Amino acid sequence: MTAPVRENLTGLDLRAEIDRLRKERNAVILAHYYQKPEIQDLADFVGDSLELSRKAADTDADVIAFCGVKFMAETAKILSPEKIVILPDMDAGCSLEDSCPPEQFARFRAKHPDHIALTYINCSAAVKALSDIIVTSSSAETIISQIPEDQPIIFGPDRHLGGYLNRKFGREMLLWPGVCIVHEAFSETELLKLKAQHPGAPVAAHPECPPHIVDHADYVGSTSGILQFAKTFPGDTLIVATEPHIIHQMELALPEKNFIGAPGADGNCNCNICPYMALNTMEKLYIALRDLQPWIEMDEELRLAARKSLDRMLEMASGTVGKGDLGRP
């Protein structure tokens, strides 16, 4: 379904109205760490994508309002088919998902019939259905360690995460050439300048970053893992190389510490803010709860096929979801 037409909501107490509709609709509101602070602050749960979907599935809510991007809302629908899943803006997509159309992925798989497909969760439900095992940045390491070294693997759609895992495990996984436009935007030159300005400050980076950023990191892990590292590192300043809205949770948990977002491009641009996540607003969340749209529709055959690859991941690494163990020092 298409995103709702923007309305003039001037004078409306959006927070109060969202709280009212949350109760009326028996809705649970989920916010990814990359959402704006005002959305994080009103959410029932804030976290990584799969972690959020699993928490929502465990509630008795009738409606899931997922403040994230489309593949995340699809995952919530895969795990909670009986619930209505709404996304404030259906145009909130993902460059990794866009880089891997299911038709092309199916043809790629057909050319490599001896390979199994390990697929990063940042992909469409259709690509999940074509995959053998879904991985998250928290679970990938645990899962790869269980796959025999002589088993050929296709890894997609993130070539930087796949390359990081290849280097760490000495594997030669065949990589799909997708990238996250946010993590791709970080500048090595500007990061080195920032490290010089804050000598001794560690760098925490997401494995979606390219090697020239990851190589300078003291910790590499998922957003949940980076948040956990922020709570345990001994210093008072941390440089964070992922989407900067995660810093809001760090500042809430550790107001006495200093968190600095790694710069992109010339050090002044906002290119490391996810433009897709930014499409979700308080106004759109209110309208989505009011109208119960735009909502996620999914064919049951597709849902069950996608669920198989997710369930396989949970069988192999359920304890890692939301734990951020990848790159643990």
Side-chain angles (χ1 to χ4, degrees):
M1 299 190 64
T2 58
V5 176
R6 186 169 178 83
E7 301 179 18
N8 184 358
L9 304 176
T10 303
L12 198 66
D13 186 338
L14 288 170
R15 178 63 186 261
E17 287 298 302
I18 288 168
D19 283 337
R20 176 181 65 81
L21 287 167
R22 178 186 348 223
K23 294 173 185 173
E24 286 185 8
R25 301 297 195 192
N26 188 28
V28 59
I29 299 176
L30 311 178
H32 191 270
Y33 287 128
Y34 297 167
Q35 289 294 289
K36 298 168 187 174
E38 60 264 30
I39 293 179
Q40 293 187 41
D41 290 345
L42 63 78
D44 296 290
F45 300 107
V46 180
D48 279 331
S49 60
L50 181 58
E51 175 190 13
L52 290 172
S53 292
R54 294 184 81 201
K55 285 182 176 178
D58 288 339
T59 71
D60 62 359
D62 297 313
V63 176
I64 298 172
F66 208 129
C67 298
V69 296
K70 187 178 179 183
F71 83 80
M72 298 178 184
E74 283 187 340
T75 302
K77 187 66 176 178
I78 291 167
L79 297 185
S80 300
E82 75 289 355
K83 301 184 194 297
I84 295 170
V85 180
I86 55 177
L87 183 67
D89 193 319
M90 200 61 83
D91 289 331
C94 171
S95 58
L96 283 167
E97 177 182 347
D98 292 344
S99 78
C100 191
E103 301 82 7
Q104 292 182 26
F105 190 69
R107 289 196 295 269
F108 187 70
R109 286 220 63 183
K111 291 178 180 177
H112 304 281
D114 58 333
H115 286 59
I116 63 170
L118 247 62
T119 308
Y120 191 30
I121 196 168
N122 295 38
C123 64
S124 66
V127 168
K128 288 179 174 68
L130 293 167
S131 304
D132 296 296
I133 311 168
I134 295 302
V135 301
T136 65
S137 50
S138 298
S139 66
E141 183 174 336
T142 299
I143 288 170
I144 288 176
S145 68
Q146 297 175 55
I147 298 174
E149 292 185 10
D150 60 353
Q151 170 61 59
I153 299 171
I154 289 170
F155 189 94
D158 191 324
R159 66 182 175 91
H160 291 320
L161 175 57
Y164 173 80
L165 293 165
N166 270 346
R167 295 190 301 274
K168 185 158 189 174
F169 282 86
R171 303 293 291 237
E172 294 184 2
M173 295 187 295
L174 190 58
L175 307 181
W176 185 269
V179 296
C180 167
I181 58 172
V182 172
H183 293 94
E184 181 86 345
F186 290 115
S187 163
E188 180 182 24
T189 300
E190 296 300 324
L191 177 59
L192 291 174
K193 288 180 184 177
L194 195 59
K195 283 172 64 71
Q197 293 167 16
H198 302 276
V203 175
H206 197 283
E208 290 178 29
C209 291
H212 61 261
I213 298 297
V214 168
D215 287 348
H216 295 292
D218 301 276
Y219 175 84
V220 180
S222 68
T223 43
S224 290
I226 290 172
L227 180 58
Q228 194 59 40
F229 179 73
K231 294 176 180 178
T232 56
F233 83 101
D236 59 6
T237 300
L238 177 65
I239 298 170
V240 181
T242 190
E243 213 278 357
H245 285 114
I246 182 66
I247 291 175
H248 179 60
Q249 291 299 317
M250 297 175 180
E251 291 173 340
L252 289 176
L254 301 151
E256 73 283 2
K257 293 195 175 186
N258 183 32
F259 301 102
I260 306 169
D266 62 358
N268 298 312
C269 76
N270 289 324
C271 44
N272 53 0
I273 291 176
C274 178
Y276 301 107
M277 291 282 188
L279 291 174
N280 296 310
T281 64
M282 295 278 283
E283 291 84 0
K284 291 175 184 175
L285 174 58
Y286 160 72
I287 292 171
L289 283 168
R290 185 193 69 189
D291 300 344
L292 290 183
Q293 60 174 304
W295 49 282
I296 299 294
E297 297 178 278
M298 190 174 299
D299 175 80
E300 181 65 3
E301 185 177 351
L302 171 62
R303 188 191 72 81
L304 291 173
R307 173 99 198 210
K308 282 178 75 172
S309 59
L310 278 168
D311 284 345
R312 186 72 178 125
M313 183 202 75
L314 295 172
E315 289 168 13
M316 297 176 75
S318 61
T320 67
V321 176
K323 304 298 184 186
D325 66 338
L326 181 65
R328 186 170 47 198

